[in-house]
């Protein structure tokens, strides 16, 4: 694999030199490979949002660098502009930033700033709307006429319409109902699969992370404290507990079964793995 994004000694201090000085990120070295699928976890205040807002230059490092294909994104106005379109950042509750008269205009805003022709913009808007299942009939509506889930998906389409090579999302499913969460995760995964873009998403839900990503990175007090495959990270239940986090529900059940004396495999973290594990338990069980 080839790296696309890299942070070197990335440090961020809010309100430096004031009585409210807060060290939010401490010396983070982190590499994202092309096409990776990453979940970022960590207790509230651990630095997740601060970290990802550096990846397209919305926040500037207090010290250290963010490199896109080896180039410092904060080196010049041009580098920053390139980074803004190649690394798409979706804020938490992005629907609060919908402001145009129509959904179509809102989704066009990002590509409209990229110097593309009207035709290309239109094509990208339709493609992005398709990724997030916003039907053409909704495009001419006001964003305010949409449901909560539709607004969220329309806002994400505005970022997808720039065809970012790295799509970064801050708690994209926060506040949605279970069906809405599942649908949105499906949309994000389809963008990842069909375009080969890297995806980095923050989530509070260990179940969501376990079911969707291939790499999990945990932050605590502005430092990376765990980084590995879901299996590597979720097999460390005690360590996660100390971070104020937990393991996915299915892992919890497996740990419980093990405590009950059953030979359960506690390294399971998805529903389908749990189903297989339970089936094999039945096969080897006492039949009582
Ligand atoms: N705009 C800000 N001004 C001052 N401190 C902030 C600001 N945003 C976040 N912080 C502080 O920086 C730390 C990391 O916050 P944040 O990146 O929002 O964490 P997370 O997203 O993991 O909850 C916390 O201590 C938080 O209080
Ligand atoms: Mg946050």
């Amino acid at each position: 694999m080839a790296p696309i994004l890299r942070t070197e000694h990335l440090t961020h201090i809010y309100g430096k030199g004031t009585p409210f000085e807060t060290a939010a990120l401490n010396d983070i070295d982190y590499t994202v490979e092309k096409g990776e699928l990453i979940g970022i976890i960590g207790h509230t205040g651990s630095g997740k949002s601060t970290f990802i807002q550096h990846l397209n230059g919305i926040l500037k490092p207090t010290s250290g660098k963010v490199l896109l294909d080896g180039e410092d994104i904060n080196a010049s106005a041009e580098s920053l502009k390139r980074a803004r379109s190649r690394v798409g950042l979706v804020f938490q509750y992005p629907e609060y930033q919908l402001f145009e008269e129509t959904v179509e205009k809102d989704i066009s805003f990002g590509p409209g700033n990229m110097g593309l022709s009207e035709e290309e913009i239109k094509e990208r808007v339709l493609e992005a709307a398709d990724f997030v299942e916003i039907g053409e009939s909704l495009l001419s509506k006001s964003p305010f006429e949409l449901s909560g889930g539709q607004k969220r998906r329309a806002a994400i389409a505005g970022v997808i319409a720039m065809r970012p090579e790295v799509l970064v999302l801050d708690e994209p499913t926060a506040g949605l109902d279970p069906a809405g969460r599942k649908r949105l995760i499906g949309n994000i995964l389809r963008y990842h699969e069909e375009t080969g873009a890297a995806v980095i998403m923050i989530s509070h839900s260990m179940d969501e992370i376990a079911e969707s990503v291939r790499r999990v990175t945990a932050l605590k007090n502005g430092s990376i404290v765990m980084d590995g495959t879901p299996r590597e990270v979720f097999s460390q239940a005690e360590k996660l507990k100390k971070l104020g986090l937990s393991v996915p529900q299915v892992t919890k059940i497996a740990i419980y079964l093990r405590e009950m004396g059953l030979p359960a495999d506690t390294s399971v973290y998805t529903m389908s793995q749990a189903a297989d594990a339970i089936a094999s338990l039945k096969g080897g069980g006492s039949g009582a």
Side-chain angles (χ1 to χ4, degrees), residues 276-288:
D276 289 349
I278 289 166
S280 73
L281 268 183
K282 272 169 75 184
S286 64

Side-chain angles (χ1 to χ4, degrees), residues 87-283:
V87 181
L89 178 66
V90 179
F91 286 98
Q92 238 177 310
Y93 298 102
E95 58 273 24
Y96 291 131
Q97 292 171 39
L98 295 170
F99 60 92
E100 298 278 5
E101 293 148 48
T102 67
V103 172
E104 178 166 4
K105 282 189 186 165
D106 249 311
I107 304 178
S108 309
F109 186 79
N113 283 335
M114 292 171 71
L116 304 168
S117 70
E118 286 298 317
E119 228 165 279
E120 277 173 298
I121 294 172
K122 178 90 188 176
E123 189 190 316
R124 284 176 176 229
V125 168
L126 291 178
E127 181 191 84
D130 180 60
F131 271 120
V132 298
E133 299 176 273
I134 292 287
E136 276 194 58
S137 61
L138 292 181
L139 291 176
S140 55
K141 293 207 166 161
S142 156
F144 301 104
E145 292 174 70
L146 305 188
S147 73
Q150 287 170 337
K151 272 187 205 161
R152 176 78 50 92
R153 299 204 306 278
I156 293 174
V159 174
I160 284 181
M162 295 194 284
R163 288 197 195 139
E165 294 155 72
V166 185
L167 177 62
V168 186
L169 308 106
D170 197 344
E171 304 200 28
T173 62
L176 300 180
D177 61 23
R181 298 172 80 106
K182 203 168 166 207
R183 180 173 194 175
L184 181 53
I185 291 288
N187 295 154
I188 294 167
L189 293 182
R190 187 159 80 88
Y191 181 74
H192 163 76
E193 280 155 20
E194 290 185 14
T195 65
V199 168
I200 305 173
M201 61 176 166
I202 296 177
S203 177
H204 263 116
S205 163
M206 298 305 125
D207 299 291
E208 194 168 278
I209 292 281
E211 295 283 348
S212 53
V213 306
R214 286 196 287 274
R215 174 180 174 192
V216 181
T217 302
L219 287 177
K220 184 194 181 182
N221 293 336
S223 296
I224 292 174
V225 288
M226 295 175 95
D227 188 23
T229 62
R231 184 176 296 274
E232 285 162 355
V233 170
F234 292 130
S235 61
Q236 301 184 62
E238 284 305 313
K239 187 164 182 188
L240 286 164
K241 205 169 161 186
K242 287 202 187 101
L243 298 174
L245 301 171
S246 61
V247 292
Q249 291 294 334
V250 290
T251 316
K252 268 188 205 158
I253 293 169
I255 292 172
Y256 176 73
L257 292 175
R258 176 61 69 91
E259 283 167 2
M260 303 273 291
L262 287 163
D265 175 3
T266 56
S267 71
V268 294
Y269 56 89
T270 66
M271 280 296 199
S272 65
Q273 290 167 352
D276 289 349
I278 289 166
S280 73
L281 268 183
K282 272 169 75 184

